[in-house]
Amino acid sequence: MKRYIRFSVLLYCTLLLNTVLWWFRTQEENTSQTLTLDINKLKNPASTLRVTVANSRTDTKSLGHKPFRGIQWHWKNSLKDTYMLKLNNSEEICGKTFIGYNKDFAKLENVVIDPSKGKGRRGGENISEVLNQKERDEYFVLEPGYFQVVQCKKHVNFNFTSRSHLNSWHDAVGTGAMPRYGEVIPGWTIAVMRYEYVNLYHTMTDFYNTFLVAKVFNITQGHMTILWIDGHPWGGLDTTWETLFGKVLRVGDIKKPCLFEHMIWGIMGYHSPLTRHAAYSAPYLEEFRKYFLISHGITKTRSLNCRRLKITVIWRRDYLAHPRKPSGLVTRKIKNEDEFLEKIKSTFVGHDVRGVQIDLYNMTEQLEMIVDTDILVGMHGAGLTHVLFLPKHAGVVELCPSYWSSANKHFVTFARWRKIPHLLWNNKDRKREIMRHSTIVDVDAVTNLIVKMNATICSESLKQTHKRHNIA
């Protein structure tokens, strides 16, 4: 009997020991995950790569992701477009693991970001917390191995456009041994480094670039992650990224190595097609306009009523936008706002005339005002970026102070691309300039330009009406 009891105790202890050893082995496997790749699918960049991770978590909530609630977008067929044809100028490295396109952007398959090899601020702070912060503190310094391309064993060698930050990203690519990682970001990720992140014009180039690369790879809204590789504090345009594309992740939130299934290095903002003012056109500009408006729930189209025009004047006023200008002081303001607005109203009796500081409104409210505008008036500045969203029948009157060169073609180019009439008033009287901050506008001269614009858009509308009747 005693021998039987001793045997039973020994058997129990053996089973208990095996259970403990099995538990420790399981935990070790959880921290050193294994990656299984279907190599055949690597040969087809359009296919979805199946990634099997043993005991890994693919839940991205811990990285700040939010569910996308926007309107699903369906891309138009664009196979014959010249912009898409330019993408044939690509270079494949490591069996399409790294593909560089036209020196402007790149696609990487199964890349691990190792945060220990990058230094920078998380970002997202309130501006008041980082006043006078140096701009260089808002950008990450990346060391080799920050981007680890899992399936590539040789050196990645590709040259991007001169002065693009993508060259420094390229220098931070590591190959060879696969690092351990925790989180997995499935699907598509578009990596962006923002520069003038609170300026509507410059941020619009980032929006547009992201739209372009999403279109290139046929990525629909809600099926991509935007990765900000910068450490900027919070800005008023941050939420627009989520509205347009879906999930947004700050690279500063990545605390442990993280694997991204399909990563795109987006086009640098300063190298956007929107900045090529000499170009005949910008690809898919009207589709981008529609995409932008629909993403904000705006689908109505205003019809021109020349008996009751809607004239919107944009005011430039001081406001705190980023840490390096704590005074909030802006230039190119209109000194005699009240006089100017009253002159327009007295000239256009019975019409709707309004003056707005448009940056005080959220993006949806801004767009609602713009799509309901027939003539847009304003000093040269980021607010005139809204020329992109005006109705097709609309016109724009742009004002420039004497110290600002009319050679800045940002908004006259947007108008030309959209076939919207544009008129310019350039102050020639330096006595009208107040300490280079405000301009006393010649209300008679500018109002005459608005009257001329009225005649232009209404006569064009009349021509189009007659043309339709003749065709009918």
Side-chain angles (χ1 to χ4, degrees):
M1 184 65 180
K2 291 181 180 180
R3 182 181 301 173
Y4 175 75
I5 293 173
R6 285 196 298 272
F7 176 76
S8 298
V9 171
L10 180 61
L11 179 61
Y12 174 79
C13 291
T14 301
L15 291 173
L16 180 61
L17 179 61
N18 286 336
T19 300
V20 172
L21 291 174
W22 172 85
W23 185 86
F24 276 110
R25 282 197 302 269
T26 302
Q27 296 307 304
E28 183 178 0
E29 289 173 0
N30 282 343
T31 56
S32 59
Q33 300 143 342
T34 58
L35 178 70
T36 303
L37 302 175
D38 187 339
I39 300 301
N40 292 327
K41 292 194 176 183
L42 276 172
K43 299 177 182 179
N44 181 6
S47 66
T48 300
L49 185 65
R50 295 186 63 86
V51 181
T52 304
V53 184
N55 298 312
S56 71
R57 295 176 62 247
T58 58
D59 177 18
T60 57
K61 290 182 179 179
S62 63
L63 293 178
H65 284 183
K66 298 179 181 178
F68 181 69
R69 303 184 186 279
I71 301 172
Q72 293 300 302
W73 180 261
H74 299 283
W75 299 111
K76 294 181 180 179
N77 189 341
S78 55
L79 295 178
K80 296 181 180 180
D81 192 275
T82 54
Y83 183 80
M84 291 298 186
L85 293 177
K86 287 181 180 179
L87 298 183
N88 290 328
N89 182 21
S90 62
E91 183 177 340
E92 300 175 356
I93 301 172
C94 280
K96 300 182 180 181
T97 298
F98 182 105
I99 306 178
Y101 292 89
N102 204 36
K103 294 189 175 182
D104 279 333
F105 61 100
K107 179 170 74 73
L108 294 75
E109 293 291 324
N110 293 290
V111 56
V112 174
I113 283 184
D114 184 351
S116 69
K117 298 184 181 299
K119 296 179 181 179
R121 301 180 64 92
R122 174 194 178 275
E125 309 94 341
N126 187 289
I127 297 177
S128 62
E129 300 174 13
V130 290
L131 287 179
N132 297 309
Q133 174 176 262
K134 294 180 180 179
E135 186 174 17
R136 66 171 179 266
D137 293 339
E138 297 175 12
Y139 296 101
F140 276 73
V141 177
L142 308 181
E143 300 174 358
Y146 183 80
F147 298 103
Q148 192 76 19
V149 183
V150 172
Q151 279 293 303
C152 189
K153 304 299 182 184
K154 65 179 183 180
H155 177 66
V156 173
N157 187 17
F158 184 83
N159 293 320
F160 291 96
T161 304
S162 175
R163 301 180 68 180
S164 171
H165 61 256
L166 297 186
N167 289 302
S168 63
W169 288 9
H170 167 271
D171 293 341
V173 171
T175 58
M178 187 192 77
R180 295 181 177 182
Y181 58 88
E183 298 280 356
V184 175
I185 306 299
W188 293 92
T189 297
I190 301 178
V192 178
M193 181 188 288
R194 302 168 299 157
Y195 288 89
E196 300 178 51
Y197 66 102
V198 290
N199 179 289
L200 182 60
Y201 171 79
H202 289 286
T203 303
M204 193 62 67
T205 64
D206 284 328
F207 291 152
Y208 177 76
N209 292 349
T210 304
F211 161 88
L212 282 181
V213 295
K215 183 175 177 65
V216 166
F217 296 101
N218 200 32
I219 314 169
T220 55
Q221 288 173 302
H223 293 85
M224 67 185 99
T225 298
I226 303 301
L227 177 65
W228 290 338
I229 303 186
D230 59 56
H232 298 305
W234 183 89
L237 295 171
D238 287 7
T239 55
T240 304
W241 283 94
E242 295 181 351
T243 302
L244 289 174
F245 305 112
K247 296 176 289 189
V248 174
L249 171 64
R250 291 181 180 274
V251 76
D253 284 328
I254 300 177
K255 303 303 181 184
K256 297 180 179 180
C258 180
L259 179 126
F260 294 81
E261 286 185 355
H262 312 287
M263 177 179 287
I264 299 169
W265 289 354
I267 306 168
M268 184 180 187
Y270 293 129
H271 297 161
S272 171
L274 289 185
T275 66
R276 298 166 189 170
H277 301 153
Y280 175 75
S281 63
Y284 319 116
L285 196 59
E286 290 302 318
E287 187 178 353
F288 172 68
R289 173 185 182 270
K290 188 175 180 181
Y291 177 98
F292 207 100
L293 294 176
I294 288 179
S295 298
H296 287 85
I298 299 174
T299 57
K300 68 176 182 178
T301 300
R302 175 175 172 77
S303 298
L304 178 62
N305 179 3
C306 290
R307 295 179 179 178
R308 192 170 181 82
L309 292 173
K310 292 209 172 181
I311 303 172
T312 301
V313 183
I314 294 178
W315 307 128
R316 284 175 60 84
R317 292 173 178 166
D318 296 342
Y319 73 105
L320 180 61
H322 61 75
R324 280 159 296 288
K325 193 178 285 187
S327 67
L329 186 67
V330 300
T331 59
R332 284 170 278 128
K333 294 179 290 224
I334 296 176
K335 181 67 174 178
N336 52 335
E337 289 181 354
D338 293 341
E339 179 193 7
F340 183 36
L341 194 64
E342 186 57 38
K343 177 64 177 180
I344 301 172
K345 288 182 177 179
S346 64
T347 303
F348 289 88
V349 177
H351 298 273
D352 291 335
V353 180
R354 59 188 170 187
V356 296
Q357 183 183 345
I358 203 164
D359 54 79
L360 294 180
Y361 298 85
N362 65 45
M363 184 56 68
T364 299
E365 292 169 330
Q366 292 183 37
L367 294 171
E368 287 172 343
M369 284 187 274
I370 294 300
V371 299
D372 200 33
T373 293
D374 299 311
I375 301 177
L376 183 65
V377 183
M379 277 284 189
H380 179 96
L384 287 187
T385 303
H386 280 300
V387 170
L388 293 173
F389 308 115
L390 285 170
K392 292 183 178 180
H393 67 257
V396 58
V397 177
E398 181 178 357
L399 318 179
C400 278
S402 61
Y403 56 84
W404 199 262
S405 173
S406 58
N408 288 280
K409 301 295 185 182
H410 305 66
F411 310 115
V412 65
T413 301
F414 286 177
R416 174 170 58 83
W417 285 341
R418 296 204 58 223
K419 297 179 174 58
I420 287 176
H422 174 281
L423 293 174
L424 175 68
W425 176 78
N426 200 173
N427 179 36
K428 302 298 183 181
D429 184 359
R430 291 187 176 273
K431 293 180 181 179
R432 290 182 173 274
E433 304 298 349
I434 310 299
M435 296 178 62
R436 292 176 56 90
H437 292 155
S438 300
T439 302
I440 301 173
V441 168
D442 185 336
V443 297
D444 292 326
V446 176
T447 302
N448 286 339
L449 287 179
I450 299 173
V451 171
K452 184 178 179 180
M453 182 60 71
N454 172 24
T456 299
I457 64 176
C458 287
S459 62
E460 182 62 30
S461 176
L462 188 60
K463 289 179 184 178
Q464 295 298 327
T465 302
H466 288 165
K467 184 178 180 179
R468 286 194 296 268
H469 285 318
N470 290 336
I471 292 175

